[in-house]
Amino acid sequence: MRKEKILVIGASGQIGVELTLALRKVYGENQVVAADLREQNPLLHGTGPYVSLDVMNKEMLHVQIIRQNITQVYLLAAILSATGEKNPSLAWNLNMQGLLNVLDIAREEKLSKLFWPSSIAVFGPSSPRVNCPQQTVIEPTTVYGISKYAGEFWCNYYWNRFGVDVRSIRYPGLISYKSEPGGGTTDYAVEIYREALLKNKYTCFLKEDTYLPMMYMPDAIRATLELMEAPAAAIKFRTSYNVAAMSFSPREVCASIQKHIPSFEMSIAPDYRQQIADSWPQSIDDSPARADWGWKEEFDLAIMTEDMLKNLSL
Ligand code: NAD
Ligand code: AKB
């Protein structure tokens, strides 16, 4: 078995920091190269190699992959839903060209595996709102969702046509305390914990009964590692897998915080992100991920709230 050398592109972001640290635990710190356009996240300092890299610069990316003897890439660089609506062409360019650059190099250099995340944002208002299945009507209305859906089919194409072993998860909204979220519609579910501890109040940009699929970061990291470790023959979907953990509304997360901080108050001031949230399903069905590679979540809202408040208080 050849020793893997991994490149994480977008390593300073919300997922990248925790994924890089988790991969370094599994593969060894020098086997995982963190890369980002912005400076290294302080949590990565001293934990392994870091390179400054723009995924849009294909030549430089190719040079780094050859120079560092990279065998696997985790591509996390993207513009998320809320920021994407402010600058649609920038979001389309980065989300598409970044992926195509990595897919092309993966093919040329015969990389052993590639991870690229999709999102529940692929679904649109015409998809089923509750328990939205893996395969259904998919008509996204945000530029972010359109780029993710197109990206899924590029992954599928590179697998079928060139045998690039690319794997993907449609992450729900992710909640974490280590690295801050980067411009999504589900970011309220991180902000609310931080503001509860800092100010004892929070003004939510989504209406209190807006249900969305959500997941705690430790579950998301474990899902990613488990998907990447599964035998290739077990991966039946080469577009991207639905993975679910919980579904909650701002009212419910507020109530779960109030169990620990009874004086916490939430007010509501919906903005343009409400329309994005309203276009997504409230919950998703992930039975193929459970059947194909054994996915099962560990965290629900109550356990996550306890863990978030404990860690953000440290
Ligand atoms: P993030 O915005 O926190 O991090 C993205 C990172 O990519 C940033 O550190 C940014 O500096 C870097 N980056 C941007 N442009 C770059 C470029 N040209 N070259 C190199 N690096 C660049 O995003 P995230 O939340 O960590 O998301 C990572 C991936 O997971 C994205 O594809 C996102 O769509 C997907 N995803 C995230 C969530 C979530 O809730 N966080 C949910 C679904 C899917
Ligand atoms: C966003 O809100 O844009 C992301 C996502 C669900 O993809 N968190």
Side-chain angles (χ1 to χ4, degrees):
M1 199 170 91
R2 70 177 165 153
K3 204 168 182 196
E4 301 293 350
K5 182 97 185 272
I6 296 171
L7 181 67
V8 182
I9 305 172
S12 290
Q14 189 194 8
I15 301 173
V17 169
E18 299 205 37
L19 188 57
T20 301
L21 293 171
L23 287 166
R24 283 181 175 157
K25 265 196 192 149
V26 176
Y27 291 92
E29 55 189 34
N30 289 321
Q31 296 308 111
V32 182
V33 181
D36 206 293
L37 195 56
R38 59 174 153 155
E39 61 190 20
Q40 182 171 204
N41 185 293
L43 292 173
L44 296 179
H45 283 157
T47 70
Y50 172 82
V51 293
S52 173
L53 184 150
D54 182 353
V55 74
M56 298 297 276
N57 187 336
K58 190 175 177 186
E59 230 169 277
M60 287 310 293
L61 175 64
H62 204 155
V63 166
Q64 281 293 354
I65 284 177
I66 293 171
R67 190 182 287 161
Q68 307 263 1
N69 295 314
I70 297 299
T71 61
Q72 292 189 6
V73 172
Y74 289 67
L75 171 58
L76 304 173
I79 287 180
L80 278 74
S81 59
T83 311
E85 290 312 293
K86 289 187 183 154
N87 197 337
S89 57
L90 184 73
W92 176 257
N93 287 341
L94 173 62
N95 296 3
M96 279 299 88
Q97 198 54 51
L99 173 60
L100 288 170
N101 287 350
V102 175
L103 282 168
D104 265 348
I105 297 169
R107 174 192 168 202
E108 275 179 55
E109 298 306 324
K110 300 191 173 25
L111 298 189
S112 69
K113 277 179 210 164
L114 167 59
F115 177 78
W116 171 82
S118 184
S119 162
I120 52 136
V122 291
F123 299 114
S126 52
S127 302
R129 295 220 72 202
V130 176
N131 289 333
C132 186
Q134 172 75 37
Q135 288 173 298
T136 183
V137 176
I138 300 189
E139 296 176 328
T141 50
T142 62
V143 65
Y144 175 65
I146 297 169
S147 73
K148 288 297 182 188
Y149 199 41
E152 289 189 6
F153 280 88
W154 276 118
C155 292
N156 194 48
Y157 180 83
Y158 270 72
W159 163 252
N160 285 323
R161 176 102 201 263
F162 306 119
V164 175
D165 188 352
V166 48
R167 303 172 182 206
S168 178
I169 283 175
R170 289 173 181 155
Y171 289 130
L174 300 181
I175 295 114
S176 63
Y177 59 85
K178 287 191 183 161
S179 176
E180 300 210 12
T185 303
T186 58
D187 292 8
Y188 91 83
V190 179
E191 291 169 7
I192 194 169
Y193 289 102
R194 291 184 177 270
E195 301 276 300
L197 289 166
L198 276 175
K199 301 184 183 153
N200 207 29
K201 60 181 184 190
Y202 176 64
T203 303
C204 186
F205 57 76
L206 296 183
K207 288 185 204 153
E208 52 209 333
D209 55 354
T210 308
Y211 281 83
L212 287 171
M214 298 282 190
M215 182 179 281
Y216 197 29
M217 190 62 86
D219 269 345
I221 300 298
R222 191 171 49 77
T224 308
L225 298 182
E226 286 176 5
L227 173 68
M228 290 300 276
E229 279 157 18
I235 312 298
K236 309 262 170 50
F237 288 92
R238 290 292 178 163
T239 47
S240 189
Y241 276 97
N242 281 8
V243 287
M246 54 185 124
S247 166
F248 58 73
S249 64
R251 192 200 310 273
E252 287 179 354
V253 67
C254 171
S256 105
I257 292 173
Q258 283 167 336
K259 287 193 180 132
H260 301 264
I261 311 172
S263 55
F264 172 63
E265 282 176 13
M266 181 180 75
S267 53
I268 300 295
D271 64 16
Y272 70 101
R273 290 170 280 193
Q274 185 67 48
Q275 201 181 347
I276 302 176
D278 287 344
S279 77
W280 293 347
Q282 298 180 330
S283 59
I284 54 174
D285 175 78
D286 62 355
S287 24
R290 289 172 196 263
D292 293 356
W293 45 278
W295 163 244
K296 187 166 178 11
E297 77 286 357
E298 282 175 3
F299 289 87
D300 63 14
L301 176 57
I303 308 175
M304 177 179 79
T305 296
E306 204 179 319
D307 203 58
M308 281 291 284
L309 293 175
K310 186 180 84 193
N311 281 291
L312 286 172
S313 307
L314 294 177

